[in-house]
Amino acid sequence: MNDKSCVIIPYYKSGNLILDVLDKVPSEIDYVFIVNDCSPVPLPDINFGKYSFSIFIIEHDKNRGVGGAMKSGFKKALEYEEIKFFFKVDSDDQMDLSYIPRMKKSLSGFDFVKGNRLYDFEIIKRMPLVRRFGNLGLSFITKFCTGYWDVQDPTNGFFGINRKTLKKLKLDNLHDSYFFETSLLGELFLSDARIKSIKMPPIYKNEKSNMNVLLIPFEFVPKLFKILMKRISYKYFLFDLNIGSIYLSGSLTFFLFGLIFGIHHYQKNLALGITTPPGTVIIFALSILVSFNLFLSWLDFDTKNFPKKR
């Protein structure tokens, strides 16, 4: 079997930690692509002859972010036809590379595999407090927007993908920033890719994250909303019409009717100086209630209709 595997490592200010990462690359890996994303901390000297795998260095003349680095790595790795499996590993030594063989095996039944750090309460307690609540909250919102309800840790950056699935993706649609992993899930859903989560403990060191936590809501929420709208329009109206389409259309129709009806009669009666009749209030409340119930029906349908194992 001539199917080879590679690891892509975006490098930015990790220093000698990347040498620890290289030392832990398993024997199943044939190529390692390191993308130096114009890091202010120089890439340390690498003893190329020390390793059994081939190492390629890709240099960026300006910083493009983790997503931009990964896209450069993907494009370069795709030039090698014998590479069938691609794994993304960070350069800060926070990922247990011993899980790569298991991830590779899972790619025989799935199109994409990623790590899951949120499977045990004791492990979650060891996470830094800000990261803990940020991951849990962002994970739920990401599930809702991307449609992958069974992916427990969607923001995890440790993942593997097979060649067929990677070639389907429009790499230019993926974001260059830290939103890269989330935008990748959005594109995977549109290609009907099957995803498997693999439980693995997180590794935290004393390094400082390059991500500004305070800016995450402002950057992620608008982009997540865009992914949600794209997913709904493609999967429920453009590519297919199903019972979920009816639930969602009905929910929106009743909500808009109730809202417009209620505001119109409230303003009208306020101008006349009279109390809004109970019947009018009931029509408004009933419309909103029906809308909410139809939305819950759509949500139930949506959680059961994500891409599953072949």
Side-chain angles (χ1 to χ4, degrees), residues 45-88:
D45 292 332
I46 298 173
N47 182 1
F48 293 87
K50 177 182 177 181
Y51 306 103
S52 61
F53 45 82
S54 301
I55 301 177
F56 299 89
I57 309 296
I58 303 169
E59 297 282 354
H60 279 179
D61 56 5
K62 65 178 180 179
N63 180 258
R64 291 176 49 192
V66 63
M70 283 303 301
K71 288 192 284 186
S72 293
F74 279 149
K75 290 175 182 178
K76 183 64 177 178
L78 282 170
E79 295 177 4
Y80 296 79
E81 294 293 335
E82 68 272 20
I83 300 179
K84 305 300 180 185
F85 305 103
F86 306 76
F87 299 93
K88 186 253 183 181

Side-chain angles (χ1 to χ4, degrees), residues 12-274:
Y12 189 74
K13 297 200 302 186
S14 300
N16 288 330
L17 285 174
I18 193 172
L19 300 179
D20 297 331
V21 174
L22 292 174
D23 289 340
K24 296 173 184 176
V25 172
S27 59
E28 285 80 3
I29 297 301
D30 304 283
Y31 300 94
V32 170
F33 297 88
I34 300 173
V35 185
N36 183 1
D37 194 27
C38 197
S39 172
V41 177
L43 189 67
D45 292 332
I46 298 173
N47 182 1
F48 293 87
K50 177 182 177 181
Y51 306 103
S52 61
F53 45 82
S54 301
I55 301 177
F56 299 89
I57 309 296
I58 303 169
E59 297 282 354
H60 279 179
D61 56 5
K62 65 178 180 179
N63 180 258
R64 291 176 49 192
V66 63
M70 283 303 301
K71 288 192 284 186
S72 293
F74 279 149
K75 290 175 182 178
K76 183 64 177 178
L78 282 170
E79 295 177 4
Y80 296 79
E81 294 293 335
E82 68 272 20
I83 300 179
K84 305 300 180 185
F85 305 103
F86 306 76
F87 299 93
K88 186 253 183 181
V89 173
D90 288 339
S91 60
D92 55 8
D93 197 25
Q94 286 193 10
M95 297 171 177
D96 189 345
L97 274 62
S98 66
Y99 282 87
I100 285 182
R102 184 179 170 190
M103 296 171 75
K104 181 177 178 180
K105 185 177 180 181
S106 296
L107 285 171
S108 62
F110 293 87
D111 304 304
F112 186 87
V113 295
K114 70 188 288 115
N116 171 27
R117 303 160 295 181
L118 309 178
Y119 65 91
D120 183 88
F121 183 67
E122 292 301 319
I123 290 178
I124 293 176
K125 285 199 303 183
R126 295 205 308 265
M127 298 173 70
L129 188 63
V130 174
R131 193 175 287 191
R132 183 190 315 169
F133 287 104
N135 278 333
L136 290 173
L138 189 58
S139 291
F140 178 79
I141 298 173
T142 302
K143 289 180 182 183
F144 175 71
C145 293
T146 63
Y148 282 114
W149 291 96
D150 64 330
V151 177
Q152 289 82 7
D153 188 9
T155 59
N156 194 323
F158 190 10
F159 65 77
I161 186 171
N162 61 42
R163 186 180 190 87
K164 181 180 178 182
T165 305
L166 180 57
K167 291 193 71 174
K168 281 184 182 179
L169 299 178
K170 297 179 179 179
L171 295 181
D172 291 339
N173 288 347
L174 303 180
H175 285 262
D176 287 346
S177 68
Y178 287 103
F179 194 70
F180 165 73
E181 281 88 0
T182 306
S183 66
L184 177 58
L185 287 178
E187 290 299 312
L188 285 168
F189 188 91
L190 297 181
S191 65
D192 204 36
R194 276 67 174 167
I195 294 182
K196 178 179 176 63
S197 293
I198 295 180
K199 297 177 181 178
M200 55 182 67
I203 303 172
Y204 294 113
K205 298 180 180 288
N206 296 322
E207 77 292 332
K208 293 183 179 180
S209 172
N210 297 313
M211 182 186 297
N212 190 331
V213 178
L214 297 177
L215 295 179
I216 290 177
F218 300 99
E219 179 182 359
F220 275 37
V221 171
K223 293 176 180 176
L224 280 168
F225 181 75
K226 184 177 179 180
I227 286 177
L228 175 63
M229 293 297 100
K230 186 176 181 180
R231 176 172 80 85
I232 288 176
S233 61
Y234 278 39
K235 287 295 184 178
Y236 286 101
F237 298 101
L238 295 179
F239 292 165
D240 189 22
L241 287 175
N242 48 52
I243 190 64
S245 310
I246 297 175
Y247 289 147
L248 200 56
S249 300
S251 175
L252 182 61
T253 299
F254 276 98
F255 178 78
L256 291 176
F257 169 78
L259 188 66
I260 295 172
F261 179 87
I263 292 175
H264 170 73
H265 283 277
Y266 174 77
Q267 290 179 334
K268 177 182 176 182
N269 293 328
L270 184 65
L272 294 175
I274 61 176

